[in-house]
Every structure is written in C-alpha cells, then in structure tokens.
Amino acid sequence: MSLIALLLAHLIEYGLTTVLHLRELRWLDHYCDWAERLLAGRRGWLLVVAAALLVLLPAIPVGYAYVLLGSHLLGLPQLAFAVLVLLLSFGPRDLRVEVHDYIDALDRGDRDEATRRATELLESDAAGRGTGLREAVEEAIFVQANNRIFGVVFWFVVLGPAGAWLFRVSDLMRRRAAFEAARRGAAVERGSFDWALAFIHGLLAWLPARLAAGAYALAGSFEDALGNWRATVDSVGTGILDRSEDLLARVGKGSLQSGLASVAPAEQDKAAAAGAWRIVARAVWTWLAIIAVMVLAGRAT
C-alpha cells in the first residue's frame, strides 16, 4: 500500500498546482509561536527534549487515525488517508513549479521576476552557499528537494503517514522559529528554541539526505559527485542540518557538473536550474524504483 500511496500522491500533485498554497498550513505558525512561549527561558538539552515532544504531538493523531482505519473496505479509506497526508506533507510549495517559474522569467528576460523567484527558491536556510545567484539557486534546488520530497518519502516508508507528517511538522516549525528570530534580529544561539528545532529537523533529515545524495550521484556524473562527497566529509559545518544541506548542495552540484561544461555562458543560469531539477526528478524515480523492488522482494519472501 505504501508504494501505491506514494505513486498516487506523486501523480496527483502534478494536477494540483492551483491549490498547493493550502499546504503552507499557517495554523502551524500559531502552534509554533505557542510552543516558543511555553518553553521561554528554558535552555540546553532539556529544551531539545521538550521541543521534540511538541514536534511529535501533531503526528500522534495522524498515526492513530491511520491505524483506526485499518483494512476496512479493502483498505481503500486507509489508502485515501495516506495519499491525503502525503499531499499535505510534500512541499509546502511545489519545487518543480518554482523551478519552472524561475526559468520562464529568465526566458522572458525579466530579471526582477527571476530574482523574486530565486528568492523563493533559496529561502533563508538555503541562501549564501553558492558564490553567485546561479550557484545559490542550483544548490538550493538540491537542498530543498530533501526538505520537501525525499525526507517525507523516507519517513513515510519507515513510519507511514505519521512519519511523513512528523517530518513536515519539524520542517515547518524550524522555519517559523528561524523567521521569528530573524524578525527580532536575534542570532541563532546554541541551546535556543530555534536551534533546538533545527537540531531536531537535522536528526530527521540526516539519513534521507545521504540517501538523496546517493541518488543524485546515480542520476548524474557519478565520479564528480563522489569526489565532492569525499571533500564534504572533511568539511566542518555549524550544525547537523547545515552539514547535511552542505552535502546535498555539493554532491548535487557535482552530479550536474559535466552537463554544464558545454553550455554557453549566457545560458548558464537556465541550464543550471533546469539541470538541477532533472537530477532531482531522476533521483525521485530512482527512489520509487528501489521502493518498488523492496516491496516486491518483501512479498516474495
């Protein structure tokens, strides 16, 4: 059922671009703000444990509802529920659409619109890695694919709809906390609420990030991607999430390197964004193929 739910959610998403704004789930902003007020004044690892429980709390009803539906009516209600949770968990915005909108703006020569679209792609946690806007956008696509797609798929396979929803909640809450900290002009400090949420999301993203990086290598230039992976091992990041995102950016960029070698300088911006999305799309289908083999092998034993 997991494989069917993943395929249905992936296909349905392509036809729902006009209503995907509903996935931004603004009510979680209020929940995150309430959680921050609740934990105000607490520091250190006790704060991390408390924040982890608050991240877990919204996923409990999802897991309970999925179990409650059981195999009634040949499992169709359970399947429909799983697909719905996946559709809400992917995102919050459609990465494919954002990349295409950015490329369309470049095609029209509308640099202001292209910059605005690039800003949406970058987001605060993905900005500043590349030496210029082109590299920053290219690397952000690889990073955001893990936050929006691969992490959701991984935890769905491991824990079902509750796992997918848990990963999405952790991502939305850490983004909200980072936004509020930036709005107040406060730096992220070790032991703070926004640091705790980034740490929790980093733990959840650690393994899917490495599996996604492996898929990037298989989907593009394997040798270049592997070389960048080896170089990343020796680098020192500021946190567990930063290290995972740096790995995704570098390996993704390496996987695309040979494909950009013959592109004219004037076309580099479009080619980099389009190529990064092609690598991500191939990696998604690689994951789905591997999951399908695992499901079939499990049934055969």
Side-chain angles (χ1 to χ4, degrees), residues 199-215:
F199 179 79
I200 293 165
H201 184 69
L203 288 177
L204 294 173
W206 190 88
L207 186 52
R210 279 142 187 83
L211 294 175

Side-chain angles (χ1 to χ4, degrees), residues 292-301:
V293 171
M294 292 170 59
V295 170
L296 293 175
R299 291 182 177 178
T301 57

Side-chain angles (χ1 to χ4, degrees), residues 34-49:
W34 169 81
E36 185 171 13
R37 291 192 299 270
L38 180 68
L39 300 179
R42 291 173 173 79
R43 310 287 292 181
W45 292 106
L46 182 61
L47 173 64
V48 174
V49 173

Side-chain angles (χ1 to χ4, degrees), residues 5-180:
L6 283 169
L7 289 172
L8 285 175
H10 188 64
L11 293 173
I12 291 172
E13 187 181 28
Y14 279 86
L16 294 179
T17 54
T18 59
V19 296
L20 288 183
H21 65 279
L22 298 175
R23 295 196 305 196
E24 296 187 19
L25 305 169
R26 293 301 183 189
W27 63 268
L28 267 175
D29 291 347
H30 302 295
Y31 178 75
C32 183
D33 295 343
W34 169 81
E36 185 171 13
R37 291 192 299 270
L38 180 68
L39 300 179
R42 291 173 173 79
R43 310 287 292 181
W45 292 106
L46 182 61
L47 173 64
V48 174
V49 173
L53 292 174
L54 289 170
V55 170
L56 178 63
L57 187 59
I60 294 175
V62 174
Y64 179 74
Y66 184 71
V67 173
L68 194 63
L69 288 171
S71 57
H72 300 298
L73 298 176
L74 301 177
L76 292 178
Q78 194 177 56
L79 174 62
F81 181 75
V83 172
L84 176 62
V85 172
L86 276 171
L87 287 172
L88 290 174
S89 299
F90 287 137
R93 294 181 298 275
D94 190 326
L95 184 60
R96 175 183 62 91
V97 172
E98 286 191 328
V99 173
H100 288 171
D101 287 345
Y102 170 71
I103 295 172
D104 288 343
L106 290 175
D107 279 333
R108 297 194 306 270
D110 190 342
R111 301 301 302 187
D112 291 339
E113 177 67 10
T115 301
R116 187 176 73 83
R117 297 294 183 180
T119 302
E120 293 177 353
L121 276 166
L122 289 173
E123 300 183 353
S124 60
D125 62 331
R129 287 190 175 84
T131 56
L133 184 62
R134 176 183 65 79
E135 288 190 6
V137 168
E138 175 188 347
E139 295 177 4
I141 293 170
F142 294 118
V143 171
Q144 294 306 324
N146 190 58
N147 288 329
R148 303 187 191 186
I149 304 171
F150 294 111
V152 173
V153 172
F154 175 84
W155 287 107
F156 177 79
V157 172
V158 173
L159 296 176
W165 185 236
L166 174 67
F167 186 82
R168 171 54 49 232
V169 169
S170 75
D171 187 37
L172 290 173
M173 288 185 67
R174 63 104 183 180
R175 290 180 189 280
R176 175 64 178 182
F179 171 79
E180 286 298 308

